[in-house]
Amino acid sequence: CKILKCNSDFWSATAGGPSPASSDDPAPEFCAALRTYALCTRRTARTCRGDLAYHSAVHGIEDLMGQHNCSREGPTAPPRPRTPPAPPPAAPAGPGDSQERADSPEVCHYEQRSGPRRANYTHCGLFGD
Amino acid sequence: PHLRTFTDRFQTCKVQGAWPLIDNNYLNVQVTNTPVLPGSAATATSKLTIIFKNFPECVDQKVYQAEMDELPAAFADGSRNGGDQHGANSLRITEKVSGRHVEIQARYIGTTIVVRQVGRYLTFAVRMPEEVVRAEEEQGGGQGLYLCLRGCPRSQQIDVQPLGGPPGAAAGSAPAPAAAAAPDTFPYETAAAKCKERLPVEDLYYQACVFDLLTTGDANFTLAAYYALEDVKMLHSDKDKLHLYDRTQEAPGRAAAAM
């Protein structure tokens, strides 16, 4: 379930500016971000069934759309800009490498992110002539 | 090449030229196969391109490319990890044997990839969560038409008969379509004996080994089959399914449906 990614994408998209103060004047960018957020949750619906964070997000989007008078149909937010490159490390491990980071966010560990249910793994191979 | 799909189907394919092995939201793997002998239907992998797509907060898009006699231990940009984001080390390349064997860990998608050069040609193996395999389906965009999921199209499959004995014997027959062009191949008994040394279990890996020796006369393919089985032992989650005995030839689509 990738609801945390939907959440973080939404917060990243909306953190730069204030949300609209009144429902009479919906902010197009905020509504677009909300529609993107809704789309993201729909894409994760199957794997997130029963996930509290997922259902909270779905209800939260409904509330926010109502509060800010956002239409369900309309443009979505443009892709999130990439993270600007960090300054080069003092002693890189290799050409172009970043420094070791022991504290990678949970989202970067598939097994931690997928929670207590055990992932099923598959294999594919290609060899010979 | 010989293909073992995500659903444990085993096929020998022509697939000359560039073909997608994997194509989903996170990963794109493309292989290029070239004839092992002029005029032969049998091909082997001469180039491999892997694209790890951008994964926010973890890794930048990274491209890995290997070709015959060039198996780098770094991505195309010279780096060995996922770039500059906070979780960059959730994607890493490790060189196991210089110029011969690399392993790529993509921890953010629970995926391990092994690439080898054995003889002149490349081999590929991957371990991937089913959820990641199905990612394209969840997004509803792609058709999932890639070899690891659907197998080779029927028109690209080589009809390899069970290799139970020498060509023409009642128990089996030589891989005629591909062997016809091979000038200096082994006699069946020699090929079988060479393969038996490395692959004592007469499964499809053993049969693939015999096929390759009969087709090309290149003893390096014995090692390719041997290492392919070693990679299965390391990467496959079901230890009861390491050895396969029944070849799969069926219409594309059924394999994916079985998943």
Side-chain angles (χ1 to χ4, degrees):
Chain A
C1 173
K2 299 179 184 64
I3 192 63
L4 294 180
K5 182 177 175 301
C6 296
N7 294 351
S8 60
D9 284 353
F10 174 70
W11 291 118
S12 299
T14 56
S19 59
S22 99
S23 59
D24 298 334
D25 183 25
E29 288 177 5
F30 186 78
C31 290
L34 267 179
R35 282 190 288 268
T36 302
Y37 191 14
L39 186 64
C40 187
T41 60
R42 283 200 292 276
R43 283 173 175 163
T44 66
R46 204 175 76 178
T47 50
C48 289
R49 196 176 299 141
D51 186 296
L52 189 59
Y54 165 77
H55 292 288
S56 300
V58 170
H59 287 296
I61 292 167
E62 290 285 318
D63 289 346
L64 286 169
M65 280 197 157
Q67 284 172 27
H68 299 293
N69 201 20
C70 296
S71 163
R72 290 181 190 285
E73 304 298 325
T76 50
R80 185 183 158 202
R82 300 178 98 193
T83 307
D97 261 2
S98 300
Q99 284 177 307
E100 282 290 331
R101 294 180 178 90
D103 57 343
S104 296
E106 187 181 277
V107 73
C108 301
H109 294 256
Y110 175 80
E111 290 181 354
Q112 289 179 20
R113 197 173 68 232
S114 61
R117 70 193 163 79
R118 186 163 168 73
N120 290 321
Y121 288 89
T122 61
H123 164 272
C124 173
L126 187 78
F127 69 99
D129 82 29
Chain B
H2 309 284
L3 172 72
R4 180 172 180 158
T5 70
F6 283 134
T7 50
D8 288 325
R9 278 148 175 82
F10 196 100
Q11 299 168 342
T12 299
C13 309
K14 301 173 197 170
V15 288
Q16 184 174 339
W19 287 77
L21 259 189
I22 297 174
D23 183 16
N24 62 30
N25 295 329
Y26 308 106
L27 194 61
N28 181 289
V29 182
Q30 182 165 293
V31 287
T32 302
N33 303 297
T34 50
V36 288
L37 293 164
S40 172
T43 65
T45 301
S46 54
K47 185 175 175 179
L48 183 71
T49 303
I50 306 173
I51 300 172
F52 297 90
K53 298 179 184 176
N54 174 49
F55 193 99
E57 296 178 50
C58 302
V59 302
D60 300 330
Q61 177 166 299
K62 290 283 172 173
V63 177
Y64 178 79
Q65 195 156 302
E67 295 190 62
M68 291 162 74
D69 298 322
E70 187 169 351
L71 190 76
F75 294 109
D77 64 3
S79 65
R80 292 183 182 219
N81 74 353
D84 295 305
Q85 298 189 51
H86 196 50
N89 285 321
S90 60
L91 175 62
R92 287 201 74 84
I93 295 185
T94 307
E95 185 174 59
K96 298 288 187 178
V97 180
S98 179
R100 293 282 160 191
H101 179 193
V102 299
E103 185 178 300
I104 306 175
Q105 288 279 356
R107 202 169 43 187
Y108 62 101
I109 48 173
T111 295
T112 304
I113 292 174
V114 174
V115 182
R116 298 177 187 266
Q117 174 164 334
V118 187
R120 296 182 65 213
Y121 298 103
L122 304 172
T123 72
F124 170 87
V126 63
R127 170 184 164 91
M128 183 182 281
E130 280 183 9
E131 183 191 19
V132 175
V133 170
R134 289 195 303 258
E136 187 71 42
E137 181 192 332
E138 285 170 15
Q139 296 283 340
Q143 300 296 310
L145 293 173
Y146 55 84
L147 302 184
C148 275
L149 187 64
R150 301 268 178 143
C152 300
R154 180 84 181 174
S155 64
Q156 295 294 318
Q157 294 176 28
I158 292 176
D159 184 15
V160 178
Q161 300 299 318
L163 295 166
S173 61
D184 298 315
T185 59
F186 293 99
Y188 176 86
E189 291 76 12
T190 307
K194 280 189 172 294
C195 292
K196 194 83 175 176
E197 286 173 16
R198 287 277 184 179
L199 299 155
V201 179
E202 292 192 16
D203 60 0
L204 290 177
Y205 290 87
Y206 165 83
Q207 290 190 19
C209 172
V210 175
F211 174 93
D212 289 356
L213 295 196
L214 290 177
T215 307
T216 66
D218 182 351
N220 284 313
F221 284 115
T222 311
L223 282 177
Y226 169 75
Y227 284 125
L229 186 57
E230 290 298 298
D231 290 340
V232 172
K233 289 176 183 173
M234 185 182 88
L235 299 174
H236 205 292
S237 56
D238 187 345
K239 300 306 174 198
D240 294 331
K241 288 186 179 172
L242 301 183
H243 298 285
L244 297 176
Y245 297 92
D246 295 319
R247 210 165 260 281
T248 310
Q249 281 192 308
E250 60 187 356
R254 288 183 60 189
M259 198 157 180

